[in-house]
Amino acid sequence: MHTGRHFLQIPGPTNVPDRILRAMDQPVIDHRGPEFARLATEVLGGLRAVFKTSGPIIIFPASGSGAAEAALVNTLSPGDRVVIFETGQFSFVWVQIAERLGLQVDYVPGNWRRGASEADLEARLRTDAAHAIKAVVVVHNETSTGVTSRLPEIRRVINAAGHPALLIVDAVSSLASMDFRQDEWEVDVAVAGSQKGLMLPPGLGFNAISEKALAASRTARLSRSYWDWQEMLKPNAAGFFPYTPATNLLYALREALHMLAEEGLDNVFARHDRHAAAVRAAIRAWELELVCEDPREYSSSISAFFTPEGFDADRLRALVLEHYDMSLGGGLSKLSGRVVRIGHLGSFNDLMLAGTLCGVEMGLRLAGVPHRAGGVMAALDSLAPAIYEAAHSVTA
Ligand SMILES: Cc1ncc(COP(=O)(O)O)c(C=O)c1O
């Protein structure tokens, strides 16, 4: 029996704010009527500011994996060569989808502690004079490790090589939490989901589409029906869907877009940066090891740390859940049992973060994981530096 609120500190699905829950709590309307057309037109337009694009955006009633499949089947043909960077478990999900669709995958090896390597990409593109590579897939923020790939660098390498490959980006755990600029970074297809930075329940998948990707879709020969962009874009122009949309999630999305606009995207990103820095300060103070190796690639939406050799990360998470009613993310695949992932994205504030870190620190004690005390204090120092005290000691 737990009292108070559950802490959902996995890196998505994230906490759904009460405002959004209330926005969903409405009767379902006729999805072929004028009220629905106004709703769909508003959210399809509003999403552009979040993706920072002037191009079309598609909303599928699907999870992020469905939106990933949609990105591939709309732009590629059987046997096409695709470069995918190994950043962690979610890049591997892309490999599985691509291979099952009959694409030829060049999986660029990585150590799950770093983002996509510009040098590796440059080497591949340089030797591809025939332009056999049709797409480069990068997971912007690798949710399994807390490592963010530097997309502007990836784009710079593709442009410097004069290579026509499409850039397909998984922005599932970066969109609306971390800076993402579809048009400026010339991302051809951005893939996202509802359950992370957008603060919605799971159930919506997004494709934001460049002109080049739209042109590719006209000649791409992979089979598609449900995911077909053209089938969606035609009715979307009038505010409708080719099949029954997730109406109440669109109410939720409308509210989320209002909330993001009220806070201002730059403030949203700054808030995530600040919270991530505080979490890293705690991990450092505990003398535990962050998974991300390169400070230029620190994620602002999730931080992962290793438990010391011989200390099961899943036991720590189970104790935290049992005693403090907080869900933390576990290590996926080869990181299973070795890593704890703290989600700090979406609707979140300083006190929620402080509570989260208290739960982790108490869990470290309960589980007998060797660590130095004081992580929470280091995080508080990072969140609330002694400016106030300093200012007041002058006048006191
Ligand atoms: C980076 C990333 N890509 C893809 C996915 C898959 O999304 P979904 O579980 O919504 O299918 C996730 C899910 O967490 C993710 O974090």
Side-chain angles (χ1 to χ4, degrees):
M1 164 73 192
H2 291 291
T3 52
R5 272 211 170 191
H6 174 67
F7 269 56
L8 182 66
Q9 296 316 135
I10 56 174
T14 60
N15 298 290
V16 179
D18 293 349
R19 248 178 92 170
I20 290 181
L21 291 174
R22 283 197 296 272
M24 289 174 65
D25 184 12
Q26 292 186 55
V28 179
I29 51 171
D30 173 11
H31 60 288
R32 304 195 197 283
E35 190 183 343
F36 182 84
R38 282 193 293 275
L39 169 66
T41 303
E42 181 179 343
V43 294
L44 286 167
L47 278 170
R48 287 191 168 145
V50 179
F51 282 90
K52 297 195 176 161
T53 183
S54 57
I57 293 169
I58 281 178
I59 306 174
F60 292 111
S63 84
S65 303
E69 177 163 339
L72 297 177
V73 294
N74 278 285
T75 54
L76 299 166
S77 298
D80 274 356
R81 198 167 146 208
V82 180
V83 170
I84 301 178
F85 285 91
E86 180 181 12
T87 47
Q89 176 59 19
F90 290 103
S91 66
F92 182 64
V93 168
W94 278 89
V95 172
Q96 285 179 315
I97 298 172
E99 286 183 343
R100 287 172 191 155
L101 292 172
L103 298 168
Q104 214 184 302
V105 176
D106 178 1
Y107 197 32
V108 184
N111 71 353
W112 289 43
R113 301 190 69 174
R114 289 192 172 238
S117 147
E118 308 104 86
D120 286 346
L121 180 59
E122 198 171 355
R124 274 169 175 75
L125 297 184
R126 208 182 316 116
T127 53
D128 182 36
H131 295 166
I133 298 168
K134 300 299 178 201
V136 173
V137 176
V138 178
V139 176
H140 184 203
N141 184 67
E142 179 51 77
T143 323
S144 63
T145 61
V147 175
T148 306
S149 286
R150 288 165 293 123
L151 290 177
E153 296 305 307
I154 296 294
R155 171 43 73 193
R156 191 186 50 71
V157 167
I158 297 174
N159 288 356
H163 199 289
L166 295 168
L167 176 59
I168 298 178
V169 171
D170 177 334
V172 170
S173 62
S174 57
L175 189 83
S177 299
M178 296 162 55
D179 197 12
F180 180 81
R181 307 177 189 197
Q182 165 115 3
D183 287 0
E184 188 180 322
W185 298 342
E186 299 170 66
V187 173
D188 291 301
V189 190
V191 171
S194 52
Q195 74 274 25
K196 312 253 181 189
L198 287 173
M199 308 174 285
L200 308 182
L204 297 180
F206 305 94
N207 278 177
I209 306 164
S210 75
E211 262 178 46
K212 188 170 148 188
L214 206 54
S217 75
R218 297 201 181 92
T219 52
R221 286 180 289 101
L222 278 176
S223 297
R224 55 192 182 266
S225 168
Y226 182 82
W227 305 117
D228 196 310
W229 288 346
Q230 298 300 334
E231 292 302 310
M232 181 67 100
L233 289 172
K234 275 179 264 167
N236 271 184
F240 296 112
F241 277 61
Y243 35 67
T244 312
T247 308
N248 290 48
L249 286 176
L250 300 183
Y251 289 138
L253 177 56
R254 177 166 63 187
E255 192 65 18
L257 293 172
H258 289 166
M259 290 173 70
L260 290 169
E262 283 165 25
E263 186 175 355
L265 270 186
D266 287 343
N267 295 328
V268 171
F269 302 150
R271 168 165 61 78
H272 283 78
D273 291 345
R274 195 169 150 269
H275 287 160
V279 172
R280 290 192 300 270
I283 294 171
R284 238 175 260 125
W286 288 323
E287 294 180 347
L288 295 172
E289 190 182 351
L290 200 66
V291 173
C292 182
E293 283 182 339
D294 183 342
R296 293 174 305 171
E297 298 179 333
Y298 285 154
S299 166
S300 286
S301 59
I302 167 255
S303 301
F305 66 86
F306 289 103
T307 44
E309 203 62 41
F311 291 87
D312 183 357
D314 290 341
R315 181 166 173 269
L316 168 62
R317 291 191 314 114
L319 283 172
V320 169
L321 180 61
E322 184 188 336
H323 289 266
Y324 309 119
D325 197 20
M326 176 163 72
S327 296
L328 295 166
L332 299 177
S333 181
K334 71 178 193 185
L335 296 181
S336 175
R338 298 175 56 206
V339 154
V340 173
R341 293 178 302 142
I342 304 173
H344 35 82
L345 71 166
S347 175
F348 203 47
N349 64 32
D350 288 12
L351 294 189
M352 292 162 87
L353 177 61
T356 299
L357 294 173
C358 286
V360 176
E361 189 156 337
M362 290 191 289
L364 291 168
R365 292 184 191 189
L366 278 186
V369 174
H371 67 287
R372 197 164 63 97
V376 169
M377 197 51 77
L380 299 188
D381 285 342
S382 162
L383 289 172
I387 297 170
Y388 180 88
E389 265 173 40
H392 286 74
S393 63
V394 176
T395 53

